[in-house]
Amino acid sequence: MAESAEAATGGTIERSEMRWAYVVAAVVGLVFVVIIYTGLHWVAAPPSNVEPIDASLLHLSGEFVEANLGTALQPDGAAVVRVIAQQYSFVPQCIVVPADTQIVFRVTSPDVVHGFLVTGTNVNSMVVPGYVSEVRTRFDQAGDHLMPCHEYCSVGHEGMWARVKVVDRLEFDRTYGSQARASCAGK
Ligand code: CUA
């Protein structure tokens, strides 16, 4: 009798231990699933403003064909600036934008990662092939800014830069208003 009670108690303990072992195994398994899922998810997509684009077709069709690069005024008065960052230049080489205007920069790369930075402002982004980097800003006053690539992109990196020319809204309309896609390259 005493012996079978002992055996019964042993069985209960064993079952209880197995139950807890299953619980621990399930928690560890769940942690692994979460790690693997988030790892794959972040590999597949960067964490902000995810806008994929086919980097091999930029020059052939779509919003970043050469004729569509530069500054385009929108019906709501904002200006959209489309820029290609490539080894080792920006297109257009000189970007002109009106002051006191909502500016939307849309930048992408056909080759490697570049940097997009307008000195003296908070405009600062990486440009990753396969994605569109979008940066919104507003320039309070007219002036010239340098726009260097600030992400090492191979041997020509230090020679990769452009200019951003901010002009008064009236001057912009007068000088560049007739261009569907304005730029100051060559001026
Ligand atoms: Cu492009 Cu450094």
Side-chain angles (χ1 to χ4, degrees):
M1 180 69 188
E3 207 171 273
S4 73
E6 206 171 90
T9 312
T12 308
I13 291 172
E14 202 170 279
R15 275 197 302 280
S16 171
E17 281 184 344
M18 283 310 289
R19 261 202 309 276
W20 283 110
Y22 289 135
V23 170
V24 170
V27 169
V28 170
L30 181 68
V31 167
F32 269 100
V33 168
V34 169
I35 289 172
I36 290 167
Y37 172 79
T38 51
L40 292 176
H41 176 77
W42 292 126
V43 158
S48 66
N49 191 49
V50 180
E51 194 182 333
I53 188 167
D54 188 339
S56 65
L57 298 178
L58 295 182
H59 59 300
L60 295 177
S61 64
E63 127 173 46
F64 289 93
V65 294
E66 192 167 1
N68 204 37
L69 300 178
T71 307
L73 287 180
Q74 303 301 110
D76 64 1
V80 176
V81 187
R82 294 185 179 85
V83 181
I84 292 267
Q86 62 190 11
Q87 287 171 316
Y88 298 98
S89 64
F90 291 96
V91 185
Q93 192 65 44
C94 181
I95 291 163
V96 63
V97 290
D100 261 328
T101 302
Q102 173 73 48
I103 310 288
V104 181
F105 285 105
R106 289 176 60 75
V107 192
T108 191
S109 161
D111 41 46
V112 300
V113 176
H114 298 278
F116 173 62
L117 168 123
V118 181
T119 51
T121 72
N122 65 350
V123 174
N124 186 340
S125 177
M126 283 169 78
V127 183
V128 181
Y131 297 93
V132 178
S133 299
E134 186 172 295
V135 181
R136 290 163 184 269
T137 192
R138 174 183 287 267
F139 297 94
D140 291 334
Q141 41 191 299
D144 289 341
H145 301 267
L146 276 181
M147 197 182 99
C149 174
H150 68 308
E151 192 73 42
Y152 182 74
C153 52
S154 192
V155 290
H157 162 70
E158 70 274 9
M160 180 172 173
W161 57 276
R163 284 185 300 144
V164 176
K165 190 178 172 68
V166 183
V167 299
D168 291 332
R169 184 66 197 238
L170 282 177
E171 187 190 338
F172 183 90
D173 290 343
R174 195 168 52 233
T175 311
Y176 302 96
S178 61
Q179 304 177 13
R181 300 290 178 266
S183 96
C184 44
K187 286 204 170 108

